Amino acid sequence: GLHDESTVYHTVDVAVYIADFLDREMTKIEGMVTKVETAIERLQEYRSALITMAVTGKIDLSNYEPPAPAMAA
């Protein structure tokens, strides 16, 4: 029946398996989040450096043409 010892142990085993699986997946996700955050920081630094170089004349923008605006869908 529903309250047999074997059923209870089986249910606990499944719960432990699921919890372990979720812990492993969360560890992977946290690692990906860290990588994305690091990439964002680096891109912000790069953007800032490019702006500084453009403003101080260290890069030539005389032939720069901005991209056309994206069309709204």
Side-chain angles (χ1 to χ4, degrees), residues 4 6 9 16-17 19 21 30 39 44 54 67 70-71 73:
D4 290 64
S6 63
Y9 288 126
V16 168
Y17 175 82
F21 171 79
E30 289 165 356
Q44 288 171 336
M71 300 292 290

Side-chain angles (χ1 to χ4, degrees), residues 11-13 38 44 49 54-55 64 68 70-72:
T11 302
V12 170
D13 287 344
T38 300
Q44 288 171 336
V55 169
Y64 175 75
M71 300 292 290

Side-chain angles (χ1 to χ4, degrees):
L2 189 58
H3 299 291
D4 290 64
E5 270 188 50
S6 63
T7 302
V8 172
Y9 288 126
H10 179 71
T11 302
V12 170
D13 287 344
V14 170
V16 168
Y17 175 82
I18 291 170
D20 288 345
F21 171 79
L22 292 175
D23 284 343
R24 287 190 306 273
E25 293 302 303
M26 284 302 300
T27 298
K28 290 178 192 176
I29 291 169
E30 289 165 356
M32 287 185 270
V33 167
T34 299
K35 287 180 181 180
V36 169
E37 288 171 343
T38 300
I40 289 170
E41 289 173 12
R42 287 184 181 158
L43 287 169
Q44 288 171 336
E45 291 170 6
Y46 180 65
R47 177 182 181 269
S48 179
L50 281 175
I51 290 170
T52 299
M53 288 188 294
V55 169
T56 60
K58 292 184 180 177
I59 56 175
D60 180 14
L61 297 175
S62 59
N63 294 323
Y64 175 75
E65 291 185 34
M71 300 292 290

